Amino acid sequence: MAHMALADIQKKSADERKREKRLVHMTNALTRDFLESGLFHKKAKASKEDAEYLLKSMLDYLFFQERKEIQEIQGKHLRDFLLIHTPGKLKLSAEAGKAAPVTITSFLLFLEDKGHIKNGNQLGEDIKKIKSAFLKLMPKAKKTAATKKTTAKKTAKSKAKKQPEDDAKVGRNDPCPCGSGKKYKKCCGQTK
């Protein structure tokens, strides 16, 4: 009897190795086919490298952590991947994070079109429902020097617009009427 138990363990290990090999191959093939498809090029808002990293990570999560086959993907799995797994485990740039919901939705439509899943549209709708919650978890884009200059110009213009018409009534040391909390002489009073 002890030999049967050992044989079962060895068989199970061999079966598990076969499953892993098959799923790794499937992950690589599906990702490659999607990235070369017209659907990716039409909807792409992420670079090919970012999309490949995201999709392979998603399939690895589904196949190896959730232990699901491709046709077993449900909205719950995608929610957990996007809202729990991705923020804690994946290193996505701000742009890749922003593009992730569209990339995954396009991939799901591709999988449905190729006959791998039957619920691609429904899963895409599930992703739309959690998109804003997901985006709140993603890193924000860092402001570049050009963005900072543009923001400074917009701020100066908005202050100029908020400036009262009868400036003569505002004293130099009075709070600025634009609402900045600064003294008039250090805020809107400087523009004159």
Short mmCIF file of all heavy atoms in Angstrom, two decimals, residues 124-157:
data_model
loop_
_atom_site.label_atom_id
_atom_site.label_comp_id
_atom_site.label_asym_id
_atom_site.label_seq_id
_atom_site.Cartn_x
_atom_site.Cartn_y
_atom_site.Cartn_z
N GLY A 124 -15.59 42.22 -19.50
CA GLY A 124 -15.24 43.60 -19.81
C GLY A 124 -16.13 44.58 -19.05
O GLY A 124 -15.66 45.61 -18.55
N GLU A 125 -17.41 44.26 -18.95
CA GLU A 125 -18.34 45.11 -18.17
C GLU A 125 -17.97 45.09 -16.69
O GLU A 125 -18.06 46.12 -16.02
CB GLU A 125 -19.79 44.63 -18.36
CG GLU A 125 -20.34 44.86 -19.75
CD GLU A 125 -20.35 46.32 -20.16
OE1 GLU A 125 -20.75 47.16 -19.32
OE2 GLU A 125 -19.96 46.62 -21.30
N ASP A 126 -17.56 43.93 -16.19
CA ASP A 126 -17.13 43.84 -14.79
C ASP A 126 -15.91 44.74 -14.53
O ASP A 126 -15.82 45.38 -13.49
CB ASP A 126 -16.77 42.39 -14.42
CG ASP A 126 -17.99 41.47 -14.40
OD1 ASP A 126 -19.13 41.97 -14.36
OD2 ASP A 126 -17.78 40.24 -14.42
N ILE A 127 -15.00 44.79 -15.49
CA ILE A 127 -13.81 45.64 -15.34
C ILE A 127 -14.21 47.12 -15.35
O ILE A 127 -13.68 47.91 -14.57
CB ILE A 127 -12.77 45.32 -16.43
CG1 ILE A 127 -12.15 43.96 -16.12
CG2 ILE A 127 -11.70 46.39 -16.51
CD1 ILE A 127 -11.20 43.45 -17.14
N LYS A 128 -15.16 47.49 -16.20
CA LYS A 128 -15.63 48.89 -16.23
C LYS A 128 -16.17 49.31 -14.86
O LYS A 128 -15.98 50.44 -14.43
CB LYS A 128 -16.72 49.08 -17.28
CG LYS A 128 -16.21 49.15 -18.69
CD LYS A 128 -17.35 49.37 -19.66
CE LYS A 128 -16.87 49.27 -21.09
NZ LYS A 128 -17.99 49.37 -22.04
N LYS A 129 -16.84 48.39 -14.17
CA LYS A 129 -17.43 48.71 -12.86
C LYS A 129 -16.37 48.99 -11.79
O LYS A 129 -16.63 49.74 -10.86
CB LYS A 129 -18.32 47.56 -12.39
CG LYS A 129 -19.58 47.40 -13.21
CD LYS A 129 -20.38 46.20 -12.76
CE LYS A 129 -21.55 45.94 -13.69
NZ LYS A 129 -22.23 44.68 -13.39
N ILE A 130 -15.20 48.38 -11.91
CA ILE A 130 -14.17 48.57 -10.89
C ILE A 130 -13.03 49.48 -11.36
O ILE A 130 -12.07 49.69 -10.62
CB ILE A 130 -13.59 47.21 -10.42
CG1 ILE A 130 -12.92 46.47 -11.58
CG2 ILE A 130 -14.66 46.37 -9.75
CD1 ILE A 130 -12.09 45.29 -11.16
N LYS A 131 -13.15 50.01 -12.55
CA LYS A 131 -12.07 50.81 -13.13
C LYS A 131 -11.66 51.98 -12.23
O LYS A 131 -10.47 52.17 -11.96
CB LYS A 131 -12.48 51.34 -14.51
CG LYS A 131 -11.41 52.14 -15.20
CD LYS A 131 -11.89 52.61 -16.56
CE LYS A 131 -10.84 53.46 -17.23
NZ LYS A 131 -11.28 53.92 -18.56
N SER A 132 -12.62 52.75 -11.73
CA SER A 132 -12.25 53.92 -10.93
C SER A 132 -11.59 53.51 -9.62
O SER A 132 -10.62 54.13 -9.17
CB SER A 132 -13.46 54.82 -10.67
OG SER A 132 -14.44 54.13 -9.94
N ALA A 133 -12.05 52.44 -8.99
CA ALA A 133 -11.42 51.95 -7.76
C ALA A 133 -9.99 51.49 -8.05
O ALA A 133 -9.08 51.75 -7.26
CB ALA A 133 -12.24 50.81 -7.17
N PHE A 134 -9.80 50.83 -9.19
CA PHE A 134 -8.46 50.38 -9.57
C PHE A 134 -7.53 51.57 -9.81
O PHE A 134 -6.40 51.59 -9.32
CB PHE A 134 -8.54 49.51 -10.83
CG PHE A 134 -7.20 49.19 -11.43
CD1 PHE A 134 -6.35 48.28 -10.83
CD2 PHE A 134 -6.79 49.82 -12.60
CE1 PHE A 134 -5.11 47.99 -11.37
CE2 PHE A 134 -5.56 49.53 -13.15
CZ PHE A 134 -4.71 48.62 -12.53
N LEU A 135 -8.01 52.57 -10.55
CA LEU A 135 -7.16 53.72 -10.88
C LEU A 135 -6.74 54.49 -9.63
O LEU A 135 -5.65 55.06 -9.59
CB LEU A 135 -7.87 54.64 -11.87
CG LEU A 135 -8.07 54.04 -13.26
CD1 LEU A 135 -8.87 54.98 -14.14
CD2 LEU A 135 -6.75 53.68 -13.92
N LYS A 136 -7.57 54.48 -8.59
CA LYS A 136 -7.19 55.14 -7.34
C LYS A 136 -6.03 54.44 -6.66
O LYS A 136 -5.28 55.05 -5.90
CB LYS A 136 -8.39 55.18 -6.38
CG LYS A 136 -9.45 56.17 -6.80
CD LYS A 136 -10.62 56.13 -5.85
CE LYS A 136 -11.74 57.04 -6.36
NZ LYS A 136 -12.94 56.92 -5.53
N LEU A 137 -5.85 53.15 -6.93
CA LEU A 137 -4.77 52.37 -6.33
C LEU A 137 -3.45 52.47 -7.10
O LEU A 137 -2.41 52.07 -6.59
CB LEU A 137 -5.18 50.89 -6.24
CG LEU A 137 -6.42 50.60 -5.39
CD1 LEU A 137 -6.83 49.14 -5.56
CD2 LEU A 137 -6.15 50.92 -3.93
N MET A 138 -3.51 52.99 -8.32
CA MET A 138 -2.33 53.06 -9.17
C MET A 138 -1.52 54.32 -8.88
O MET A 138 -2.07 55.32 -8.44
CB MET A 138 -2.74 53.06 -10.65
CG MET A 138 -3.26 51.72 -11.14
SD MET A 138 -2.00 50.44 -11.18
CE MET A 138 -2.20 49.64 -9.61
N PRO A 139 -0.20 54.29 -9.16
CA PRO A 139 0.62 55.48 -8.94
C PRO A 139 0.18 56.60 -9.88
O PRO A 139 -0.27 56.35 -11.00
CB PRO A 139 2.04 55.02 -9.26
CG PRO A 139 1.89 53.78 -10.08
CD PRO A 139 0.56 53.18 -9.71
N LYS A 140 0.31 57.81 -9.39
CA LYS A 140 -0.03 58.99 -10.21
C LYS A 140 1.18 59.37 -11.05
O LYS A 140 2.32 59.16 -10.65
CB LYS A 140 -0.42 60.18 -9.32
CG LYS A 140 -1.54 59.88 -8.35
CD LYS A 140 -2.83 59.56 -9.07
CE LYS A 140 -3.93 59.26 -8.10
NZ LYS A 140 -4.59 58.01 -8.27
N ALA A 141 0.91 59.96 -12.21
CA ALA A 141 1.98 60.40 -13.10
C ALA A 141 2.74 61.53 -12.41
O ALA A 141 2.14 62.42 -11.81
CB ALA A 141 1.41 60.86 -14.43
N LYS A 142 4.06 61.50 -12.50
CA LYS A 142 4.88 62.55 -11.92
C LYS A 142 4.91 63.73 -12.87
O LYS A 142 4.96 63.58 -14.08
CB LYS A 142 6.29 62.04 -11.67
CG LYS A 142 6.32 60.98 -10.59
CD LYS A 142 7.71 60.50 -10.33
CE LYS A 142 7.65 59.44 -9.25
NZ LYS A 142 8.79 58.58 -9.21
N LYS A 143 4.87 64.93 -12.27
CA LYS A 143 4.90 66.14 -13.10
C LYS A 143 6.32 66.39 -13.58
O LYS A 143 7.26 66.36 -12.80
CB LYS A 143 4.39 67.34 -12.30
CG LYS A 143 2.92 67.24 -11.96
CD LYS A 143 2.45 68.49 -11.29
CE LYS A 143 0.95 68.38 -11.01
NZ LYS A 143 0.43 69.58 -10.38
N THR A 144 6.42 66.65 -14.86
CA THR A 144 7.72 66.98 -15.45
C THR A 144 7.92 68.48 -15.35
O THR A 144 7.01 69.22 -15.00
CB THR A 144 7.76 66.55 -16.93
OG1 THR A 144 6.76 67.28 -17.64
CG2 THR A 144 7.53 65.06 -17.09
N ALA A 145 9.10 68.95 -15.71
CA ALA A 145 9.38 70.38 -15.67
C ALA A 145 8.42 71.14 -16.59
O ALA A 145 7.93 72.21 -16.25
CB ALA A 145 10.83 70.64 -16.07
N ALA A 146 8.14 70.58 -17.76
CA ALA A 146 7.22 71.24 -18.70
C ALA A 146 5.82 71.32 -18.12
O ALA A 146 5.13 72.34 -18.25
CB ALA A 146 7.20 70.48 -20.03
N THR A 147 5.39 70.27 -17.44
CA THR A 147 4.06 70.26 -16.82
C THR A 147 3.99 71.28 -15.70
O THR A 147 3.00 71.98 -15.56
CB THR A 147 3.74 68.86 -16.25
OG1 THR A 147 3.97 67.89 -17.26
CG2 THR A 147 2.31 68.78 -15.76
N LYS A 148 5.07 71.41 -14.92
CA LYS A 148 5.10 72.37 -13.83
C LYS A 148 5.00 73.80 -14.36
O LYS A 148 4.31 74.63 -13.78
CB LYS A 148 6.36 72.20 -12.99
CG LYS A 148 6.34 70.95 -12.14
CD LYS A 148 7.62 70.81 -11.36
CE LYS A 148 7.64 69.49 -10.59
NZ LYS A 148 8.91 69.26 -9.93
N LYS A 149 5.71 74.10 -15.46
CA LYS A 149 5.64 75.44 -16.04
C LYS A 149 4.23 75.75 -16.52
O LYS A 149 3.71 76.82 -16.30
CB LYS A 149 6.64 75.57 -17.21
CG LYS A 149 8.07 75.66 -16.77
CD LYS A 149 8.99 75.78 -17.97
CE LYS A 149 10.44 75.77 -17.54
NZ LYS A 149 11.35 75.80 -18.70
N THR A 150 3.60 74.78 -17.19
CA THR A 150 2.24 74.96 -17.68
C THR A 150 1.29 75.18 -16.51
O THR A 150 0.43 76.07 -16.56
CB THR A 150 1.78 73.71 -18.48
OG1 THR A 150 2.74 73.46 -19.50
CG2 THR A 150 0.42 73.91 -19.09
N THR A 151 1.45 74.42 -15.44
CA THR A 151 0.61 74.57 -14.26
C THR A 151 0.82 75.94 -13.63
O THR A 151 -0.14 76.59 -13.23
CB THR A 151 0.92 73.46 -13.23
OG1 THR A 151 0.78 72.20 -13.88
CG2 THR A 151 -0.03 73.52 -12.05
N ALA A 152 2.07 76.41 -13.56
CA ALA A 152 2.35 77.73 -12.99
C ALA A 152 1.69 78.83 -13.82
O ALA A 152 1.14 79.78 -13.28
CB ALA A 152 3.85 77.96 -12.91
N LYS A 153 1.75 78.70 -15.16
CA LYS A 153 1.10 79.69 -16.02
C LYS A 153 -0.41 79.70 -15.81
O LYS A 153 -1.03 80.75 -15.73
CB LYS A 153 1.41 79.41 -17.50
CG LYS A 153 2.82 79.74 -17.90
CD LYS A 153 3.04 79.42 -19.37
CE LYS A 153 4.47 79.65 -19.77
NZ LYS A 153 4.69 79.28 -21.16
N LYS A 154 -1.02 78.51 -15.70
CA LYS A 154 -2.46 78.41 -15.48
C LYS A 154 -2.83 79.03 -14.13
O LYS A 154 -3.84 79.72 -14.01
CB LYS A 154 -2.93 76.96 -15.53
CG LYS A 154 -2.94 76.36 -16.91
CD LYS A 154 -3.39 74.91 -16.86
CE LYS A 154 -3.33 74.28 -18.24
NZ LYS A 154 -3.68 72.85 -18.18
N THR A 155 -2.01 78.79 -13.11
CA THR A 155 -2.27 79.35 -11.78
C THR A 155 -2.20 80.87 -11.82
O THR A 155 -3.05 81.55 -11.25
CB THR A 155 -1.26 78.79 -10.75
OG1 THR A 155 -1.33 77.38 -10.79
CG2 THR A 155 -1.56 79.29 -9.36
N ALA A 156 -1.19 81.39 -12.50
CA ALA A 156 -1.06 82.86 -12.61
C ALA A 156 -2.27 83.45 -13.34
O ALA A 156 -2.80 84.48 -12.93
CB ALA A 156 0.23 83.21 -13.35
N LYS A 157 -2.72 82.79 -14.40
CA LYS A 157 -3.89 83.27 -15.14
C LYS A 157 -5.14 83.22 -14.27
O LYS A 157 -5.95 84.14 -14.27
CB LYS A 157 -4.11 82.44 -16.41
CG LYS A 157 -3.15 82.75 -17.52
CD LYS A 157 -3.45 81.91 -18.74
CE LYS A 157 -2.46 82.16 -19.83
NZ LYS A 157 -2.72 81.31 -21.00
#
